Amino acid sequence: GSDTVSAMELDASERIVVGGRTASNNLRTEGHYQENYGGGAEDGIVGRLSAAGTSFEFLTYLGGAGYDVVNDLKIEPTTGSIYLAGTTAGGLRTTTNAFQRVYGGGIYDAFLAVFDSEAIAPMYLSYVGSTDHDQGYRVGLDGPDGVYLGGITRSQMFPLKKPIQAT
């Protein structure tokens, strides 16, 4: 299958952390969040290269049975937590503290995920979407407690909280 890196950042130890998508169902992902390919066209991926850049220290799938992609990532410098923005056709295992635990429907939903520095399990994973086409393209950090998700929506009933523009 094909593999695409769409996001890359250095962590505090100057190791490269990557996010993207893959159609490969045979990546070496042992001991991390999602060891098996979720199915469908592509799954999102997140991984960290060794300091030498010759192998992955970890690599994990992030996807359900449809199309899934990690479009952007940021690393919180004090904790090393990995923040991901992406797009999914559903089937993700959200966390109990998620803003939106259920897929909104339509073509795609955006998602926001936060992993610890080793990607063992998500500390936060939420859909952000409604009944049409929603995609997460960017994630931004404002200190350890401020997170921003940017993307697009065509949904008339998009789930808003404290909107600047309500319509």
Side-chain angles (χ1 to χ4, degrees), residues 62-121:
L62 180 59
Y67 172 80
D68 309 282
V69 59
V70 173
N71 289 315
D72 194 23
L73 70 83
K74 295 291 182 278
I75 300 170
E76 203 290 312
T78 59
T79 64
S81 297
I82 304 164
Y83 289 72
L84 307 170
T87 301
T88 181
L92 299 180
R93 296 176 293 180
T94 58
T95 54
T96 57
N97 59 342
F99 167 71
Q100 181 181 333
R101 295 198 65 199
V102 178
Y103 183 70
I107 301 168
Y108 301 117
D109 274 7
F111 70 82
L112 177 65
V114 183
F115 281 87
D116 64 15
S117 62
E118 299 299 319
I120 301 298

Side-chain angles (χ1 to χ4, degrees), residues 10-11 13-16 48-57:
L10 291 175
D11 70 6
S13 298
E14 297 190 357
R15 296 170 297 188
I16 299 171
R48 183 178 63 219
L49 290 164
S50 64
T54 56
S55 62
F56 278 101
E57 292 181 347

